Amino acid sequence: MADGVKKGTKITEDEAKTLDRAQMGVAITGQAEVEGQDPYIGRVECPWCGNIGRAILDTDYYKWFACGACGRAFRA
């Protein structure tokens, strides 16, 4: 695992159907053009496919995520 990357935990498709989509963030694949502007953005690793993406990690915003590469749900 890369330094500073928070590894996600899997959410099954059945469980994801019961979660509030308003509390779902998306882990964006790729590098940010400007790093360090938002203190809530961190790097997360999808537990399903291993993709490392950027996401807002403040739980006041999002409680769970969809992977920007495979689309599967996870918590980080």
Side-chain angles (χ1 to χ4, degrees):
M1 181 171 74
D3 290 334
V5 176
K6 186 171 185 176
K7 176 127 181 161
T9 57
K10 295 178 181 178
I11 296 174
T12 65
E13 289 183 36
D14 290 337
E15 183 183 1
K17 290 176 186 176
T18 69
L19 297 174
D20 184 353
R21 291 187 65 85
Q23 295 180 331
M24 181 191 81
V26 177
I28 305 297
T29 302
Q31 294 292 332
E33 290 183 21
V34 179
E35 293 287 340
Q37 286 189 333
D38 189 332
Y40 300 116
I41 293 180
R43 296 185 308 160
V44 294
E45 180 180 350
C46 174
W48 297 101
C49 71
N51 179 64
I52 295 177
R54 293 175 288 113
I56 296 174
L57 297 178
D58 186 336
T59 57
D60 287 341
Y61 290 94
Y62 303 119
K63 307 275 187 222
W64 60 294
F65 300 90
C67 177
C70 72
R72 296 190 74 181
F74 66 95
R75 288 183 178 86

